Amino acid sequence: MRITSWNLLHGQPIPPLSVGPSQESLAAAVCQLETEVIAVQEVDYKLPRSNTRNQISDIADAIGAKDWAFAPSIIGTPGEKWRKLKDLDPRIVSGDSNSLEGSYGIAIASTIPVVKWHRLDLKNSVVGMPLIVPTESETSSKPKIRAIYVHDEPRLALGATLTNGWTIFNTHLSFVPGVNLYQLKKLKRWALKISQETNTKPLILGDLNLPKNLPVAGSDWQSLIQQNTYPSWSAKIQFDYLLTHGANNQVKDLGTIATGISDHLPLRAEIN
């Protein structure tokens, strides 16, 4: 199974461009990854800033995947106008649907058939933090960076039980220290529960916002790939991980690819 985790930054080119992402540039970037399963974070669903595209559907088309699902974190655009999900808002969208408003969240696309989708809500930090964000540069191939105060949005995990004996759990944890560790602990318990119920092996992947291999410290989980992924133009830290539990599989690091999209590099592996 060739698998990729990627914080997509809604397909934003780096350095950021005022025109925003295009369907064609995103598809070209995804095709370079040569993946069978892709888990993406910071993905848009029919938002104006990404030309009202269903980005995970476009990604699925690019890799030839029939199965995909989007799990909204918020309704609206982060950093602009948004709201939390209400009771009647769909928690998972798979296939064409007009019942969900423009949203932002996480998603999975797979060429390996999906038996069942799962969702776990992880809430959010009540406090935000100043974060460094890339902005457009007119004079350099590297983006300018600036710090802005960001309110934490609700966090979640999306699971996909595959026919090959794995259940993939995609997440984007809080950037607030301590809160992300609590969320990960809750996610690990849930992942083991789902894997036992489905008789599959669990694989947690995504942007965990935790450096220095902290996601596996003091636990019996293993990190499959050691690869700095942030920032994409000069990666010095690993925020993105592939975590397994009790699985003795051969793993090949497929190496990362600088696609020119996002402030994170994609994390790629082949698991046998």
Side-chain angles (χ1 to χ4, degrees):
M1 172 175 63
R2 296 190 308 277
I3 189 161
T4 299
S5 175
W6 193 14
N7 181 321
L8 196 63
L9 192 67
H10 63 275
Q12 178 68 58
I14 293 294
L17 303 174
S18 57
V19 295
S22 71
Q23 177 187 0
E24 293 76 19
S25 61
L26 177 58
V30 171
C31 285
Q32 292 181 58
L33 304 178
E34 298 182 332
T35 191
E36 295 173 290
V37 182
I38 184 167
V40 287
Q41 308 88 42
E42 295 198 26
V43 59
D44 283 356
Y45 178 88
K46 300 182 179 180
L47 286 177
R49 69 177 181 181
S50 48
N51 302 311
T52 67
R53 299 295 306 178
N54 177 353
Q55 288 189 320
I56 191 58
S57 177
D58 292 339
I59 290 170
D61 289 343
I63 67 171
K66 293 182 179 179
D67 291 332
W68 62 264
F70 169 78
S73 171
I74 60 173
I75 306 298
T77 305
E80 300 178 19
K81 184 178 180 180
W82 62 270
R83 65 169 174 83
K84 293 183 178 182
L85 271 65
K86 298 178 180 178
D87 290 344
L88 295 180
D89 291 318
R91 262 50 185 179
I92 297 176
V93 173
S94 182
D96 293 332
S97 173
N98 296 317
S99 60
L100 181 64
E101 301 175 45
S103 308
Y104 163 92
I106 61 177
I108 297 172
S110 176
T111 61
I112 301 167
V114 176
V115 177
K116 187 176 182 180
W117 298 103
H118 317 267
R119 175 179 172 131
L120 174 69
D121 289 303
L122 295 169
K123 300 184 179 180
N124 62 297
S125 171
V126 296
V127 298
M129 284 183 60
L131 292 182
I132 294 175
V133 297
T135 59
E136 186 174 2
S137 175
E138 298 178 355
T139 60
S140 173
S141 60
K142 296 182 179 180
K144 296 179 182 178
I145 57 173
R146 62 189 177 99
I148 60 172
Y149 184 86
V150 178
H151 293 282
D152 195 23
E153 72 256 10
R155 305 292 173 160
L156 68 146
L158 174 65
T161 297
L162 308 180
T163 56
N164 66 351
W166 287 91
T167 297
I168 309 301
F169 299 94
N170 179 26
T171 194
H172 184 194
L173 300 183
S174 173
F175 50 76
V176 179
V179 175
N180 43 28
L181 283 170
Y182 174 80
Q183 292 171 337
L184 181 58
K185 185 176 180 180
K186 183 177 180 181
L187 171 54
K188 286 177 177 177
R189 290 197 302 265
W190 181 68
L192 290 177
K193 177 176 178 290
I194 295 296
S195 66
Q196 290 170 0
E197 292 174 350
T198 57
N199 193 29
T200 56
K201 294 172 287 189
L203 177 62
I204 294 176
L205 70 170
D207 179 358
L208 306 186
N209 271 315
L210 290 164
K212 298 180 180 178
N213 222 32
L214 280 178
V216 297
S219 77
D220 49 4
W221 289 76
Q222 300 87 41
S223 177
L224 298 183
I225 303 295
Q226 309 298 314
Q227 171 69 56
N228 290 342
T229 55
Y230 182 87
S232 58
W233 56 90
S234 181
K236 293 181 174 63
I237 193 168
Q238 180 168 6
F239 281 145
D240 307 273
Y241 294 86
L242 305 175
L243 308 181
T244 59
H245 183 277
N248 296 316
N249 294 86
Q250 291 184 336
V251 179
K252 180 181 179 181
D253 185 348
L254 296 178
T256 193
I257 295 175
T259 66
I261 286 177
S262 180
D263 55 350
H264 284 245
L265 292 170
L267 196 65
R268 307 165 61 236
E270 184 174 63
I271 304 175
N272 295 315

